[in-house]
Amino acid sequence: MSPRPLARWSAALALALLGCQRHSSALEHPDDPATRASSPAAPDADEPSPQTEPSHPLELVPARARMMLMARSPLRLAEAWERDRLAGAHPLQYEKLVGDMKRELGYDLLDPADLARTGIDPSAPIGFAMLSIRDEAFVTFGGLTDPRPLVEALERGSGKALSRQSVGTAELYAIDSELTLVVRGRFFAFVLVDRGHPESPDYAREVARIDPARSLAHAPVLERAFAGLPAEADLQGMLDPAGLMHDGLERDRQSEQEILAQANQRLAEARQRGATVEELDSLQQQLEGEERFVARRRRERQVTELLLSRTVGSIEGIGMAVDASDRGLLGRIHMGLSADSSFRELLVESDLPPTALTTLSDDPLLVLSGRVDLNVAIGLVSQVALAAGDSYAELNDEIREKLRVDFDRELRPLLDGSATFATTVREPRPGRAAKEPLQERFGGVLSLGVVDEAKARELLERATAQWKTMGARIQPAPEVGGHRVELPDDDGPSELWVSVAAGQLVATTDLAALRRLRDGGVGPGGAHWSDPEAWTRLTTGPAAARLAMHHRMPMFMLFAFIEAFDSFDFPREVDFELEAEFPGEDLRSIPRGKQVKRLEKQRAKAQAEMRTHKDERRQQKMLAMWQHAGGLGLTAATVHVLDSGLMYEGGHYVSGGVGAYAETLMGFDELDDASNPSDQRIEELRARVEELDGQILEARRREVQRALEKR
């Protein structure tokens, strides 16, 4: 058995991701965990044993871990995603998921009952952690009642007895060169190192001998990440962005050192073997060139590190704690921030709900709304530009050239720092659900809060006058005190209204919403969201930011991306195909005969009909996908500024919970397999085009031969 299926299954064990509650039930650890394995090596006498043994699976994870996910237990996981119901309702899809696992290991590790038969405790926390990106080192950890069935299953899957080594109180079972099972007391850990290096730590040995007090469970990064979060949850997680950033920078430094070391080594070896003066001069020049390159890289990195130190590097840890219910996964995410973090100063708590949202006519798909300190934001943009080799002034010049507005001098003094962006989708018109292209139903709004409406209107008038000189089709819209802009006809919204209303500079496709904004009204936006709490969370109460995304949106983008590949039906270029048969001849100079032209005309007609059917079918599939993807629900959260950092409150709202989400995903397979009468016609036309391609090739070959014979 290759390590990758085992790694996937061990990760599936850990799909339970992080539940930091203590598991208090006493588990017996057998005296002889694997009598059939090879004889263990003697424990290392020079390695001191840890003062205590782990009391929780997370205490097997080294503090070097940069990411971790843990679930309360496999039992709770199976209950949350309704494993029993889905396995019965969708047996074919479920078999695809676990078939290989059952055949090779003899167990369905997604079934808590089968998991218990392997000796893994289905009531204990189970999780997954990333130890190193460079080494691709990961660990899956959990509770254990008896290691013998687990070892037997692994031996059955690998077809060999596993070698065993004692390290302290732990037993290490080498499954292969990359994967090791560590059994320590009543806990287990699968340690996978996919790309180890000679200087890499012995991760399995580290897990075997780790002092629980120095594990991730008690690391400062976890404590800071989990500040303000509940001690227990169905699913918990940790991410260490600052640690990842540090690792990346360290890899860059090591790479630069290796570049210089190799250049110096080449020069030293050449001198030692008595190379010519010319070769030595060339190698010396190469070394100096590498030194200049590294010096330039280090100067550039200094600017980048300065920016990162107050942004990504200032994130002391991100913690997550969510619980599963029939409404989805709800809870909190905490971002711990250092005292000098720019993120602390960037977001500004606001008591006012975003009226650009409350006035919408249609359901939002994506929402980004909040208030920032403009000076801090501009400072960050300036640093990003500097790190990229540009400047804030150059960015401002580019904006002025494209929009005929000087952002820094004209627009920036008018802004109060609040902004709302939303993409929306309207319901289909009555009787046109199957005919109206989905793209035509998309819309959106962008609003920027202003401190002086009169000056904002003056700026808008000057800008629209400039846009007209650039060829934009703009008409006055006195009904909203602004302008109507005609957009290019690209199967999307055709009109955009721009105006100043309710202290905001607004651009929107929703004319009714703009009127409500002006009049202080409220729209029906969000009415079709599955959980009213999500919309209430975005449109009421204080917050520094409000974020939402319906999972229809990424699915639509993925589907459109995949379908776009099927739209490329380029005709075969017969002259190109025949070049190998007639080398050195300019085949394109030979005129096409009547037969070839007639066949090409027939092919063009068949291709045009096929494209029409494919476009119709693509639209049908897209609408079916869109309708089905409604069951995926939406993620919505508000962001609040705390003394410890930022707190995101909300979650993923899906009617029916995690099980309904999983069932919706399974349903996409059925959508893919669904047949349609037009599919047969498309295949008939495809076959006809291929037949004509062959006839054109033969006819063209004959006329080329005749033309060349006459020369």
Side-chain angles (χ1 to χ4, degrees), residues 300-301 303-305 307 381-391:
E300 293 170 350
R301 193 170 60 243
V303 178
T304 302
E305 288 184 14
L307 169 64
V381 171
S382 300
Q383 291 181 51
V384 170
L386 185 61
D390 297 318
S391 69

Side-chain angles (χ1 to χ4, degrees), residues 469-507:
T469 65
M470 298 164 59
R473 303 174 68 177
I474 301 176
Q475 300 294 330
E479 67 272 27
V480 290
H483 298 269
R484 173 181 172 274
V485 182
E486 292 187 28
L487 301 176
D489 184 10
D490 56 355
D491 294 328
S494 59
E495 297 175 317
L496 182 73
W497 282 269
V498 291
S499 184
V500 177
Q504 297 168 77
L505 177 59
V506 184

Side-chain angles (χ1 to χ4, degrees), residues 365 367 529 534 538 547-551 632-637 650-653:
L365 294 170
V367 173
W529 280 10
L538 293 183
L547 313 170
M549 183 183 70
H550 200 294
H551 284 212
L632 295 175
L634 62 113
T635 300
H652 186 70
Y653 298 84

Side-chain angles (χ1 to χ4, degrees), residues 130-167:
M130 179 183 70
L131 303 180
S132 169
I133 290 182
R134 177 175 179 263
D135 295 335
E136 295 186 18
F138 306 90
V139 58
T140 296
F141 54 91
L144 199 61
T145 57
D146 184 352
R148 286 172 295 188
L150 181 57
V151 172
E152 290 170 0
L154 294 171
E155 290 181 334
R156 184 164 52 250
S158 63
K160 63 178 182 180
L162 303 183
S163 64
R164 177 164 64 98
Q165 180 185 16
S166 295
V167 177

Side-chain angles (χ1 to χ4, degrees), residues 262-283:
Q262 290 170 3
N264 274 296
Q265 183 178 358
R266 287 193 297 269
L267 181 58
E269 290 174 349
R271 286 172 175 163
Q272 190 174 16
R273 59 180 165 80
T276 64
V277 174
E278 291 78 6
E279 183 181 355
L280 292 175
D281 286 345
S282 175
L283 290 172

